[in-house]
Amino acid sequence: MTFQWTAVATILYGEIGVILVLCLPFISPLRWQKIFMFPLWSKMAVFWNKMFLTIIVLLIILFLDAVREIRKYSSVHVNEKAANVNSSAFDHIQMKLFRSQRNLYLSGFSLFLWLVLRRTVTLLTQLAKEMASHAALETQVNDATEAAKKYMAENERLQEALSGKGHGKKKESTDATKEKLKEEVEHLKAELQKTSDAFHKAKTEVAAVKKQSEGLRKEYDHLMKEFQQLQ
């Protein structure tokens, strides 16, 4: 095996290893995002696109060269077989054809897995961002719910005070106190309405994020199935 095809085989084995590591179930996308945020990766990101395109171009060239070699030796193989040449020349053509087919598989699988690897890293990053956004929205919803409960409890307490049905309270409230309580009730109602609107908005955003996360998970699972079928 020549140097170039040894390098292609090394790239292929490395891609398989990296994809298997990325598929480990006990490493969450959030942890992968933290790993990708290391300063080393941020420095490599500057050259990542250039390196990705360079390797894509080289693999495509090698793939096309392997296709050309297969077509060349296939035609020679048919001609030699029809001419009934000696067995040593026929075996030499067979060996060349086998190597060309091997190179075709190496370059083809390397090209495919390189694209899968790029897409997998992108999906993991997007899924980690969506999960973080989903967690933040859930926190906001919980805070809004607690605030709404608090305002509702205060509203009920003030209404009981206004109607004179509070237990253990005296009914000696003056008109000024009633007016003040009414103002507080109106203020609390306005705050409750704002909180309720924020709660519904956050709930809608959570549903949208869940739907988008499900779509990313389905696409990620689809890529994993293709990778398993390829293996």
Side-chain angles (χ1 to χ4, degrees):
M1 187 181 293
T2 59
F3 173 76
Q4 60 184 6
W5 294 112
T6 303
V8 173
T10 303
I11 292 174
L12 176 62
Y13 300 147
E15 290 170 347
I16 293 174
V18 173
I19 290 177
L20 287 176
V21 173
L22 291 176
C23 293
L24 293 177
F26 54 85
I27 303 180
S28 65
L30 292 175
R31 182 165 297 180
W32 278 121
Q33 187 186 30
K34 292 180 180 179
I35 295 175
F36 295 152
M37 294 300 292
F38 285 166
L40 176 63
W41 296 112
S42 61
K43 294 179 180 179
M44 291 178 60
V46 180
F47 307 98
W48 169 248
N49 290 328
K50 295 181 180 178
M51 182 180 67
F52 176 79
L53 294 176
T54 302
I55 293 179
I56 283 290
V57 172
L58 291 176
L59 290 176
I60 290 176
I61 293 173
L62 292 174
F63 180 78
L64 295 177
D65 181 67
V67 172
R68 182 186 62 82
E69 291 290 324
I70 288 178
R71 295 182 63 181
K72 172 184 174 182
Y73 290 113
S74 295
S75 61
V76 173
H77 169 72
V78 173
N79 295 332
E80 294 291 340
K81 187 175 181 181
N84 293 324
V85 296
N86 55 22
S87 60
S88 60
F90 184 76
D91 291 340
H92 181 71
I93 297 300
Q94 285 284 90
M95 180 183 66
K96 291 287 187 180
L97 181 60
F98 170 75
R99 288 180 179 177
S100 301
Q101 292 173 344
R102 178 204 63 191
N103 296 338
L104 177 69
Y105 294 141
L106 285 176
S107 58
F109 284 131
S110 298
L111 180 62
F112 175 74
L113 288 181
W114 188 247
L115 296 173
V116 170
L117 180 61
R118 173 66 178 266
R119 186 60 177 166
T120 302
V121 172
T122 303
L123 287 176
L124 282 174
T125 305
Q126 292 179 354
L127 184 60
K129 291 179 179 179
E130 295 299 332
M131 291 175 66
S133 177
H134 177 70
L137 286 175
E138 283 188 345
T139 303
Q140 292 179 1
V141 169
N142 292 331
D143 294 340
T145 304
E146 293 296 328
K149 291 180 179 179
K150 180 180 178 181
Y151 288 136
M152 290 176 65
E154 291 181 357
N155 187 22
E156 291 178 357
R157 179 177 60 82
L158 290 174
Q159 286 180 352
E160 288 180 358
L162 289 173
S163 61
K165 295 181 179 180
H167 296 286
K169 294 181 179 180
K170 297 180 180 180
K171 297 181 179 179
E172 299 177 353
S173 58
T174 62
D175 293 339
T177 304
K178 288 182 179 180
E179 290 296 329
K180 185 177 179 180
L181 288 176
K182 287 181 179 180
E183 291 177 359
E184 290 183 2
V185 168
E186 294 297 329
H187 176 70
L188 289 175
K189 284 183 178 180
E191 292 293 332
L192 180 61
Q193 184 64 34
K194 292 180 180 179
T195 305
S196 179
D197 293 340
F199 172 74
H200 288 299
K201 182 179 179 181
K203 191 174 181 181
T204 304
E205 292 179 354
V206 168
V209 169
K210 285 183 178 179
K211 186 176 180 181
Q212 189 174 3
S213 300
E214 289 297 327
L216 288 174
R217 286 195 183 96
K218 289 180 181 178
E219 189 174 356
Y220 181 74
D221 293 337
H222 178 66
L223 285 176
M224 291 303 102
K225 290 180 180 179
E226 288 185 356
F227 173 69
Q228 292 175 359
Q229 292 175 359
L230 177 62
Q231 282 184 322

